[in-house]
Amino acid sequence: MKETSLTRMISLFCVVLLFSCKQNQEKESSTELNTNLSLSEEKLYRPFYHFTPKKGWMNDPNGMFFYNGYYHLYFQHYPDDNVWGPMHWGHAISTDLLTWREQPIALHPDELGYIFSGSAVVDEHNTSGFGKDGIPPIVAIFTYHDPIKAKEGKTDAQTQGIAYSLDEGLTFIKYEGNPVINNPGINDFRDPKVSWHEDDKKWVMVLAAHDRLKYYESKDLKKWKFLSDFGEDIDKKIGAHGGVWECPDLIKLPVEGTNEFKWVQFVSINPGGPNGGSSTQYFVGDFDGKTFTMDKEFELALQKRHNFWLDFGRDNYAGVTWSNIETKDKGKLFIGWMSNWDYANQVPTETWRSAMTIPRELKLVKDSLTHRISFAPIQKLSEFSGKKYAKEDIIIRGEQKLIDSEQIDLTRAEIHFTIANPLKNKYTFKLSNQNNEELLFGYDHVLKKFFLDRKKAGKTDFSEKFSGSISVAPRIGSFKNLSGTILLDKTSIEIFYDDGLTVMTGIFFLTSPFKTLSISSNTEVFELEHIEINELNFN
Ligand code: FRU
């Protein structure tokens, strides 16, 4: 007998209900413990300026758009527990990308399934016809994941749906014609990212399909036509294939300092990242409205350097860009999920789980071989600078303390440093606290690698995969100086080396905040040309 939509709705509702009842039962026994825990975890672990949900689970950023002065951020959310579960789209808004106000949940699961990752566009010209009384609709395009079909092992559990909002993204009405793209029998078929293709005056969607990307086009966001595939040829070594491809983004970026534009294709992969677990790779080339083709020089560089990664830290995943806004250099604004599937469900917070990265400005720069992405924290952050410590030409002997937390609060700080004409040494920064916990990071000139070592940075035993090895990033190109910008926010470090050409993002869970920042090298003496540490005014 064919299942009616009502019975499906009821069974799906039961799956969601059962899921939350089971989780709640498990939680009740430890309520007392949780109350104490959550007080101290608020103080110790709730970041000052990185977005976290008030309570519950969060993963990928979704549907980001800018409209009428507000940046919107939706996110994969399970509000009833701190582990992954039936996915909703949570919602937050901000006018500065640094202070966020959480809003009511924007999309709930329904009879077609959970609401997985996707994007949102401002349909300025009402191509979809969803607009009313001159109000342009905001259209969200997302993946439906049918948990019943998935459990039964069916390969067509994921389809694409749309919903529209007539109140600037606060509430959404699901389209009655959903799904708008049916599943052709591919297990992992998800995470639509849609953008307006100005040359062809049409919408383009890029979708992750297990080991490749699929491009579609549409005039009205409802009817979609398949165009082409990219990345499927594993033998040709098109990018990394150590895991499933997810959360793609296709963007057009100006090449810095030229009038030229290039297309860049991002795709997240889990597992198979350069330092284990989840990570995001990218490709540079051209998109002619139908097909994405890598530049020849990029392809050659890809073979030489293996892969191009947006971030070599372990905690920047599923990142995509904001729609309907550009930076003043026509670049894009990006945000990622600051965690890793290797341990995201186990990190030691109870009330909520995980944060987003700092929003970043994306640029495309040309080096001697090809084009590369560079990142910078959004400029707005400088407006939050408070107390400052700055010093030039410091002679460093052995391990030297640079600053302690009485001078600058190291739980909310921005650091810029330059070591001029560095010798062939290993330079190590150390953040440490009264409990002998320490986070080490820096650059090894002999290995030509940046490193980030959180082995002794507080709690690590919640997951074997958390701190097992030191994350490293190759340094590509030749540079006169060693310089970088470092952001600290209680449980996270984001390091932008060489003007953002190499980025390392990592999370950690101390038992007490950092007290001192010091630096050392394996040479007797060297000169730190410049260091500036700003306390960031958030509370
Ligand atoms: C990536 C991802 C997406 C999926 C979502 C489900 O982290 O696996 O591919 O849509 O999370 O929550």
Side-chain angles (χ1 to χ4, degrees), residues 207-242:
L207 192 68
H210 192 68
D211 56 357
R212 66 196 66 188
L213 299 176
K214 290 190 174 289
Y215 300 93
Y216 295 81
E217 65 177 14
S218 174
K219 288 279 180 203
D220 61 3
L221 295 161
K222 298 172 182 158
K223 289 182 289 303
W224 291 93
K225 185 175 154 235
F226 171 72
L227 295 170
S228 61
D229 278 337
F230 171 74
E232 74 285 14
D233 201 336
I234 300 176
D235 292 340
K236 275 200 194 153
K237 302 225 170 6
I238 301 182
H241 279 274

Side-chain angles (χ1 to χ4, degrees), residues 57 59-60 62 76-77 84-85 87 115-118 143 145 158 188 190-192 208 244-247 268 270 278 317-318 337 341:
W57 166 267
N59 57 291
D60 315 353
N62 294 151
Q76 286 288 276
H77 188 35
W84 190 89
M87 284 292 110
I115 315 294
F116 271 18
S117 289
T143 296
H145 171 86
Q158 297 181 346
D188 304 292
R190 56 179 181 261
D191 311 335
V244 175
W245 282 25
E246 306 183 311
C247 299
S268 283
N270 178 56
S278 328
Y317 192 59
W337 174 42
W341 282 115

Side-chain angles (χ1 to χ4, degrees), residues 393-525:
D393 307 326
I394 318 173
I395 304 297
I396 309 285
R397 285 176 212 283
E399 183 178 306
Q400 196 159 316
K401 187 171 99 179
L402 293 170
I403 198 140
D404 67 36
S405 57
E406 267 130 51
Q407 296 163 277
I408 298 274
D409 182 353
L410 291 169
T411 65
R412 47 187 170 107
E414 178 196 35
I415 304 166
H416 303 283
F417 74 92
T418 308
I419 299 170
N421 300 310
L423 304 166
K424 283 221 172 306
N425 292 325
K426 184 172 177 183
Y427 295 92
T428 306
F429 283 96
K430 180 164 102 184
L431 280 156
S432 54
N433 67 8
Q434 66 207 29
N435 299 343
N436 290 326
E437 293 167 345
E438 56 188 44
L439 183 72
L440 306 173
F441 56 95
Y443 181 61
D444 188 330
H445 262 287
V446 176
L447 300 176
K448 281 187 166 271
K449 277 181 179 156
F450 296 104
F451 59 91
L452 177 59
D453 178 355
R454 61 183 177 193
K455 274 190 182 155
K456 290 201 229 151
K459 299 181 193 169
T460 55
D461 58 359
F462 52 89
S463 160
E464 267 180 15
K465 290 184 174 168
F466 183 69
S467 63
S469 59
I470 300 169
S471 294
V472 293
R475 194 185 199 192
I476 293 151
S478 49
F479 302 88
K480 196 167 152 269
N481 296 338
L482 176 63
S483 65
T485 295
I486 302 156
L487 299 184
L488 295 170
D489 189 1
K490 284 193 191 174
T491 53
S492 65
I493 185 163
E494 292 162 281
I495 318 170
F496 302 82
Y497 292 110
D498 297 334
D499 284 328
L501 279 177
T502 301
V503 185
M504 296 189 89
T505 301
I507 55 174
F508 48 85
F509 300 90
L510 303 170
T511 57
S512 161
F514 284 134
K515 276 246 172 284
T516 52
L517 171 70
S518 45
I519 190 168
S520 64
S521 137
N522 56 347
T523 179
E524 220 172 274
V525 38

